[in-house]
Amino acid sequence: MEFSELIRTGQAQAELLRGPEMPPLRGTLCVTGHHLLLSPGPQATPDLWLLLLRSVDSIEKRVAGDAGTITLRCKDLRVLQLDIEGVEATLDIARSIEALSSLESVITSFPFFYRPKGLRLGESWHFHPPERYYKRVARETRAWRLSEANEDFSLCPSYPRAVIVPRAVDDDALARSARFRQGGRFPVLSYYHAPSGTVLLRSSQPLTGPQKRRCTEDEELLQAVLAGARPGARGFIVDTRSAQAAKQARMTGGGTEAKSAYPGWKRLHRPLERGRPLQESFVHLVEACGDLEQSMDRWLSRLDGCRWLSHVKEALSTACLAAQGMEWEGACILVHGAEGTDSTLLVTSLAQLILDPLSRTMAGFQELIEREWIQAGHPFQLRCAHSAFSHTRPKHEAPIFLLFLDCVWQLGRQFPLSLEFGEGMLLALFDHSYASPFGTFLCNSEKERCLCEVRTRTHSLWSGLNQPKEQRKLRNPLYAPNPLAIWPSVEPQSLRLWQGLFLRWTHPPEPSEVAWEKVWQIATDQEKTEGSQPTDSASEPQP
Amino acid sequence: MEHIRTTKVEQVKLLDRFSTSNKSLTGTLYLTATHLLFIDSHQKETWILHHHIALVEKLALTTSGCPLVIQCKNFRIVHFIVPRERDCHDIYNSLLQLSKQAKYEDLYAFSYNPKQNDSERLRGWQLVDLAEEYKRMGLPNSNWQLSDANRDYKICETYPRELYVPRIASKPIIVGSSKFRSKGRFPVLSYYHQNKEAAICRCSQPLSGFSARCLEDEHLLQAISKANPANRYMYVMDTRPRLNAMANRAAGKGYENEDNYSNIRFQFVGIENIHVMRSSLQKLLEVNGTKGLSVSDFYSGLENAGWLRHIKAVTDAAIFLAKAIMVENASVLVHCSDGWDRTSQVCSLGSLLLDPYYRTIRGFMVLIEKDWISFGHKYSDRCGHLDGDPKEVSPVFTQFLECVWHLTEQFPQAFEFNEAFLLQIHEHIHSCQFGNFIGNCQKEREELKLKEKTYSLWPFLLHDQKKYFNPLYSSTSQKLAVLEPNTVSFNFKFWRNMYHQFDRTLHPRQSVFNIIMNMNEQNKQLQKDVKDLESQIKQHKNKQTDGVLTKELLKSVRPESPALKTSLCLKEQTLLPVKDALRTVEGSSPADNRYSEYADEFSKAEPAVVSSEYGVARMTC
């Protein structure tokens, strides 16, 4: 397809308003296949302003006299205003942006064209696959194996090629279990908790249906999990739906594990919000955050009404429950909801952050996201197709990944020294999950990514983020490795609105940024003085 | 002593305030003349000063014993279970007596003895010197002078002796004006802005009723206006809501009529009165004290309490004041009804925005001493030091501290002090351990001979000032000279560390503050070491005339360098608190948190039934 068909105008004169704190930019506006460009001329700083069209969430145009105004609301929650000379030019530019920002095709998206200096294609792509995690598990226990039964994605289209399963279960049994689970997502290992020898598993709901069907292989698989942990080990199934919703799911072929069929396993229901209600919660919160004039009462009532912080609290407490089951009860935990690609991943990944010190490092966190979200088949393309400003009716959009990032931010606030990455990292992940020049968050599953050759034809976000120049933005200068589990408080008094994200553009936190810079300075001073001291005294004397 | 019947009760249980299960610590309760002390089985001590007790309640007898709930003015709430009802009754009665004293002389400050001699005590009292402070502002000058009108508290009992007034305001004008103002609190200077030559003045409401006027008062306002050469008009800020001010007219009080005063711009700013504030805080405490509070109840509770709305109103008023001076060069006269609550809040907060000095540890003490203590904020009434009218109690000063805290959150580098400093001051306005906040005005304090019989708080805070430093403070930043806070609603947050100061489970588990403090100190020490070493090397070089230092000599330098050794020791030491921080992480077990109680289901017999409030709520919708 030719982008030129969609671009209706070459260029126009325009003024860009980027919010109250930033000076307006004046110059020539131009639409290309993937970008909106504004060039204010060679003397100006910056001499070029770029916006990835993919990051436009909604567009609004108004014309008056012989000029027009376009308001762009971006997926990163930024609101931009373009004042354009000429009515025709305004309408043409608006139409071009509309058409180009909503292209469905993956392989014509910008990551397939993005070739930054200093990065090589294919770099970092083999950086975090499940194989690597299996090596860690295999060092601790012999009860698990790496199965390549899903090599051709025939068992489960949303799983990666290789998954970690109990050694006692063969690939045929896996295939049967897969047929008994929605979308073929049979129980696989998500995390091995070495101190207690217990494991965290995830899957989708069993297809028991109204007849309460059973599957011997599926039951044996979970039995093998308990046997592999230690004799007499117990298990808990954390169902992220309410008991009633789980029961109702039987009518449509789904359901939940029957007590009698899975001895040793006990079911707990922890309903977590997902899908459209979660998306609406996000939309309402962003709306409330955009209103600078509202009274205190109105703000508090909207903050309450959108329920976002309730979702944060519930996600965190469910993750804590799973983590506690492992560390304190010595039990194995299986997490699933319906499809097992959303709230399930939220719970398993948060539980790991709480328990596993490695996942709190920069590399470990990237590995966690790669393993527990990207490879685990969270449908990023569907969930992040639109952000909070879109006028189109949400279909599959839901900010589950954002909810995860918010929970991590809350952890970071309560344990400010225990995460190696800072708020900047979380913000970058949010931005890139909705629109990115990198290929990491493209598609909905490994299978799709293979079909589109994402790995060979796009750059990995991780190689972009791990460049030295990015580090000051992304890292936590106060990080000190903490070998213990971090148990957050989930009381409403301890949770806060993530201002750095939700108020990033409406309300620039300038003084706190300066303060943060100072923290960096103190921390790096420390490294410098500590590091240089011996060399100073050793090298000085030589005249 | 006569109030104490039982001094020691064993096997007392202390319940966790937020636990929904009946988790508790067992220990021994001691009652002393000044404190209630609980020592649990791990020898951890919980001290509660009798003066901090706001409310003692004896609840209905249970099977495990008699519950005794104590609510403190510093927002600590403890819940004891005393095994025998008799003991509980004795302690209850004693605490009722001990927490509400009838006479000033029975307050803790009159018996507190920190082992200082009289001259130390006197020096402590002289630490904050208001005469010095007015000098710092550049007073007296050609427009403003010290008035001796109130030297003997003849004109106004609740004002200090020394007051600054416009040079052209004669004594008859002052006397006349004071007769026209509620409680005789006539317009005087609170802060003088040297560069702008503008002043913040304060007073109480005029006794204008529906039509009364007073020429002397009009003259005095004109004199204030004229004392500012840069601007012809001045602002008169009535900090009350318009309706309240109007209602006061019926009682012969009211507000300035713009027609009678030349060149004033009159403005209401709408801060509610002490009764509204008292019940607002009460509502806030009810919400955050709820067990098993949901996010939704918390925010609707915050909204209903209106507390943050009031904090915003006070801050907005202070910003209005600061802007009038900075942008318009205009002097401002602030009043409310009596001019000792809202007026103190707005004047002091306004000065804090304008003058970086008040954002230092010492300057903040001066500010409190000036705008609150000396101008007659009724600490003893507002904090309920003595058994008196509960309608006089109101968290006006707490509100001021909270406004300051919000500023420190918004401007992390603008304040020399940290949150702990504010909390410590709050602790002591109620503790009655020091004399500063006892009494309702200077005259009363002099009569009580506080300077001879009690100690001042400030030297003790200064002595511990290391604890109160803000490691990010930047004293030189030009940008932060005048603060222009943004009072958009998002910026006002529930102050967890104030209202849950003693509920450790709700706090962040690691402190950024400590680690930055340590880093800063280490940096300083290391830089000093480098300097020391460099100077030693220089010395060696000087000795060796040929200027070449052999490796051997260098070796001899190293071991004998004391600086290096101390730095190593120091590293060990300063790293220790960091490890402590880790230990607190360890301490934050899931058992401390409420999700642990969801986990009760781990051991329940019937797994399929969801009993937690969450499950039920979800199922019904």
Side-chain angles (χ1 to χ4, degrees), chain A residues 277-285 302-314 398-407 410 495-498 501-502, chain B residues 295:
Chain A
L278 192 65
Q279 176 73 11
E280 275 163 10
S281 170
F282 176 41
V283 170
H284 288 153
L285 176 58
R302 289 171 90 172
L303 192 56
D304 172 23
C306 77
R307 298 191 47 75
W308 181 262
L309 284 169
S310 304
H311 303 323
V312 170
K313 178 188 158 97
E314 280 156 35
I400 282 273
F401 187 62
L402 169 61
L403 185 59
F404 164 71
L405 295 176
D406 197 336
C407 292
Q410 307 280 353
L495 302 177
R496 263 207 191 169
L497 177 74
W498 185 6
L501 186 122
F502 293 105
Chain B
V295 175

Side-chain angles (χ1 to χ4, degrees), chain A residues 175-193:
Chain A
R176 295 238 168 81
S177 170
R179 278 199 294 270
F180 184 63
R181 296 273 172 179
Q182 180 171 3
R185 293 175 71 89
F186 54 91
V188 296
L189 180 128
S190 158
Y191 170 59
Y192 178 77
H193 185 241

Side-chain angles (χ1 to χ4, degrees), chain B residues 178-355:
Chain B
S178 77
K179 298 215 165 100
F180 187 63
R181 294 275 169 181
S182 194
K183 310 276 193 313
R185 294 171 68 93
F186 61 97
V188 297
L189 179 131
S190 152
Y191 176 73
Y192 182 71
H193 197 289
Q194 233 171 328
N195 288 342
K196 300 276 175 187
E197 296 182 272
I200 301 176
C201 297
R202 55 185 292 169
C203 62
S204 61
Q205 63 184 338
L207 304 174
S208 52
F210 289 102
S211 58
R213 49 190 290 193
C214 166
L215 286 178
E216 289 92 341
D217 194 62
E218 290 161 25
H219 275 300
L220 184 51
L221 260 65
Q222 205 157 26
I224 292 173
S225 199
K226 279 191 183 145
N228 177 355
N231 202 323
R232 282 187 53 246
Y233 61 87
M234 69 183 280
Y235 278 98
V236 176
M237 277 173 80
D238 190 327
T239 56
R240 298 168 295 181
R242 180 190 296 270
L243 256 175
N244 300 21
M246 306 256 262
N248 263 302
R249 283 164 66 180
K253 300 163 188 170
Y255 53 93
E256 291 81 357
N257 182 342
E258 265 179 299
D259 298 338
N260 297 340
Y261 294 83
S262 51
N263 298 326
I264 69 163
R265 296 193 175 175
F266 186 82
Q267 179 78 34
F268 286 113
V269 291
I271 303 173
E272 299 287 350
N273 65 23
I274 58 167
H275 310 294
V276 174
M277 299 309 187
R278 180 178 54 244
S279 76
S280 172
L281 180 64
Q282 196 52 45
K283 282 185 204 156
L284 183 79
L285 295 178
E286 272 164 33
V287 173
N288 71 31
T290 315
K291 272 184 190 176
L293 184 66
S294 75
V295 175
S296 181
D297 289 345
F298 176 64
Y299 282 101
S300 58
L302 265 190
E303 183 194 340
N304 287 336
W307 182 255
L308 291 176
R309 189 178 71 225
H310 300 316
I311 299 290
K312 174 170 154 63
V314 174
T315 314
D316 275 330
I319 293 170
F320 181 89
L321 170 65
K323 270 204 182 135
I325 290 183
M326 284 317 291
V327 180
E328 300 184 50
N329 269 19
S331 292
V332 186
L333 173 66
V334 184
H335 72 73
C336 47
S337 297
D338 289 322
W340 50 43
D341 294 311
R342 289 167 271 199
T343 302
S344 297
Q345 286 179 332
V346 173
C347 289
S348 54
L349 213 53
S351 324
L352 190 80
L353 295 178
L354 290 169
D355 193 336

Side-chain angles (χ1 to χ4, degrees), chain A residues 34 79 91 114 209-210 226 239 243 245 332 354 384 387 389 391 405 408 412 462 533:
Chain A
H34 294 110
V79 179
L91 295 178
Y114 181 51
L226 294 188
D239 192 325
C332 297
I354 291 166
C384 301
S387 169
F389 291 123
H391 299 304
L405 295 176
V408 178
W462 311 127
Q533 195 187 11

Side-chain angles (χ1 to χ4, degrees), chain A residues 472-483:
Chain A
R472 205 168 167 108
K473 232 169 43 198
L474 306 176
R475 273 176 200 271
N476 172 10
L478 302 175
Y479 173 66
N482 169 8

Side-chain angles (χ1 to χ4, degrees), chain A residues 4-26:
Chain A
S4 55
E5 292 164 19
L6 300 169
I7 301 171
R8 298 181 169 242
T9 182
Q11 54 191 49
Q13 290 301 309
E15 185 171 60
L16 169 74
L17 302 169
R18 293 173 292 174
E21 305 287 311
M22 306 258 269
L25 274 183
R26 237 188 174 309

Side-chain angles (χ1 to χ4, degrees), chain A residues 234 236 242-244 259 266-273 288-304 307 309-311 313-314 316-317 320-322 324-329 333 413-418 477-478 480-497 499 503 506-507 510-512 514-516 518-519 521-523 525-527 529-530 532-538 540-543, chain B residues 18 287-289 292-300 302-303 306 308-309 312 405 409-413 471-474 479-480 486 488-494 496 500 505-512 515-516 518-520 522-523 526-527 529-530 533-534 537 541 547-549 551 554 558 564 567 571 578 581-583 585-586 588-591 593-599 601-608 610 612 614-615 618-621:
Chain A
R234 292 187 302 160
F236 289 97
S242 68
Q244 201 190 10
K259 219 191 322 173
K266 195 150 117 181
R267 217 170 61 230
L268 303 171
H269 289 277
R270 284 286 160 272
L272 295 183
E273 206 58 272
C289 289
D291 184 354
L292 296 173
E293 304 299 324
Q294 64 200 331
S295 72
M296 201 68 220
D297 290 1
R298 176 95 182 107
W299 161 242
L300 289 173
S301 115
R302 289 171 90 172
L303 192 56
D304 172 23
R307 298 191 47 75
L309 284 169
S310 304
H311 303 323
K313 178 188 158 97
E314 280 156 35
L316 271 176
S317 22
C320 288
L321 179 80
Q324 194 188 351
M326 299 171 75
E327 177 155 300
W328 282 54
E329 306 284 326
I333 307 279
R413 252 184 56 82
Q414 295 194 24
F415 298 89
L417 317 179
S418 298
L478 302 175
N482 169 8
L484 306 163
I486 53 175
W487 301 103
S489 161
V490 295
E491 295 293 336
Q493 293 96 319
S494 309
L495 302 177
R496 263 207 191 169
L497 177 74
Q499 295 211 352
L503 300 171
T506 43
H507 176 55
E510 198 223 358
S512 43
V514 178
W516 194 238
K518 169 101 180 178
V519 173
Q521 196 195 322
I522 292 172
D525 267 7
Q526 161 122 10
E527 278 161 27
T529 37
E530 268 186 317
S532 65
Q533 195 187 11
T535 45
D536 263 7
S537 46
E540 274 284 312
Q542 269 92 47
Chain B
F18 285 102
V287 173
N288 71 31
L293 184 66
S294 75
V295 175
S296 181
D297 289 345
F298 176 64
Y299 282 101
S300 58
L302 265 190
E303 183 194 340
L308 291 176
R309 189 178 71 225
K312 174 170 154 63
W405 175 75
E409 284 282 290
Q410 205 174 131
F411 302 98
Q413 295 192 271
L472 297 180
Y473 177 53
S474 149
K479 259 190 162 173
L480 298 174
N486 184 344
V488 63
S489 303
F490 323 128
N491 275 345
F492 293 90
K493 287 164 276 194
F494 175 72
R496 184 195 49 223
H500 289 295
T505 54
L506 302 189
H507 289 229
R509 314 304 213 232
Q510 291 173 317
S511 156
V512 171
I515 192 147
I516 298 182
N518 284 339
M519 281 183 173
N520 248 347
Q522 261 173 284
N523 282 355
L526 289 169
Q527 271 156 11
D529 293 350
V530 171
L533 286 168
E534 277 169 0
I537 288 161
K541 273 187 193 165
V548 179
L549 202 64
K551 281 256 157 145
L554 184 64
R558 272 189 168 174
L564 190 61
S567 91
K571 217 180 281 175
V578 182
L582 289 186
R583 255 179 237 130
V585 174
E586 190 173 29
S588 81
S589 74
N593 297 297
R594 270 214 296 138
Y595 44 78
S596 63
E597 278 128 27
Y598 306 147
E601 286 176 32
F602 281 141
S603 44
K604 261 193 213 142
E606 188 51 67
V610 183
S612 131
Y614 278 85
R618 274 280 170 275
M619 273 157 59
T620 51
C621 53

Side-chain angles (χ1 to χ4, degrees), chain A residues 100-175:
Chain A
L100 288 164
S101 64
S102 55
L103 287 181
E104 298 265 329
S105 153
V106 173
I107 49 166
T108 57
S109 63
F110 184 58
F112 287 85
F113 299 86
Y114 181 51
R115 295 293 175 263
K117 259 185 262 165
L119 293 185
R120 275 207 326 274
L121 268 185
E123 218 174 51
S124 301
W125 268 120
H126 297 285
F127 180 43
H128 319 283
E131 287 84 350
R132 202 177 133 109
Y133 186 65
Y134 175 68
K135 277 190 197 137
R136 247 180 87 187
V137 177
R139 273 204 299 272
E140 306 279 351
T141 171
R142 307 281 304 143
W144 296 84
R145 70 187 180 92
L146 191 71
S147 163
E148 295 189 349
N150 200 38
E151 177 65 35
D152 53 356
F153 303 110
S154 59
L155 292 195
C156 172
S158 62
Y159 272 168
R161 293 178 193 276
V163 287
I164 306 170
V165 295
R167 186 169 291 278
V169 177
D170 61 25
D171 285 356
D172 288 341
L174 292 182

